[in-house]
Amino acid sequence: MMRIERSLREVEVLALELQPPLVLEAATTVAGVIQEMRNHYLGYALITVDNRLAGIFTERDVFLSVLGNDAVLDEPVFEHMTPDPVCVGTKDPIRKVVLLMHQSGHRQIPITDTDGHIAGCVRHKEIAEYMVNHFAKHVLNLPPDPEQIAQAPEGG
């Protein structure tokens, strides 16, 4: 397990195999953002003002702001996004992303450079893929609850 912890502490987030992020301007309508999220099969959009990260709009925002309230579909996403999202820098280790996801419950963490320009976005799926690809022997053999004791043989 030490090898996993060391890797998470030392490997930078940009070493992950990241899908290009969906980046849209703050003036885009909520309907437009939702359509782009569908087109890209993504559960989020990074929202910019002057080419700098200003917020994030996620599936959760759709459920909380949009469902049952069609009037917001024509409003700018700026009014319904999460402003100033939790993010990491380009040189931050994977461990920081994992901790942020665990502590905050976010499934997407934007990556920005020192000027606030978007460099990527880490999704929980990419963390899982990294773990499986690099540590399959350890990760795939863990029970859901490591303290759990089987009451019957598997398949029994």
Side-chain angles (χ1 to χ4, degrees):
M1 286 297 212
M2 184 56 105
R3 191 168 158 237
I4 294 172
E5 291 173 19
R6 184 175 179 189
S7 176
L8 293 177
R9 265 194 329 265
E10 294 177 1
V11 176
E12 295 175 359
V13 293
L14 289 181
L16 295 169
E17 292 181 33
L18 302 175
Q19 189 175 25
L22 175 58
V23 180
L24 300 168
E25 282 292 317
T28 308
T29 64
V30 170
V33 172
I34 292 170
Q35 187 58 53
E36 287 299 315
M37 289 167 60
R38 282 184 187 152
N39 293 346
H40 290 86
Y41 301 101
L42 289 173
Y44 76 93
L46 301 180
I47 309 302
T48 60
V49 172
D50 297 327
N51 294 321
R52 288 187 168 75
L53 181 65
I56 187 168
F57 186 81
T58 68
E59 293 168 322
R60 257 185 224 160
D61 296 313
V62 173
F63 290 121
L64 296 174
S65 297
V66 179
L67 286 182
N69 189 4
D70 290 347
V72 304
L73 292 172
D74 294 324
E75 295 175 4
V77 72
F78 186 83
E79 296 177 20
H80 300 280
M81 69 182 188
T82 301
D84 303 316
V86 171
C87 57
V88 295
T90 57
K91 300 290 185 189
D92 284 332
I94 296 171
R95 181 178 190 276
K96 184 171 182 179
V97 174
V98 172
L99 289 173
L100 286 170
M101 286 180 171
H102 177 72
Q103 292 166 351
S104 66
H106 298 308
R107 298 180 341 172
Q108 295 89 207
I109 305 285
I111 305 166
T112 57
D113 64 17
T114 55
D115 293 325
H117 296 111
I118 297 168
C121 188
V122 181
R123 299 176 306 153
H124 65 290
K125 294 174 184 180
E126 290 149 346
I127 299 289
E129 286 173 10
Y130 175 82
M131 297 298 291
V132 169
N133 290 338
H134 291 84
F135 306 104
K137 184 172 82 174
H138 300 288
V139 176
L140 296 177
N141 290 321
L142 291 176
D145 177 2
E147 303 299 320
Q148 180 179 356
I149 298 174
Q151 299 299 315
E154 188 165 332

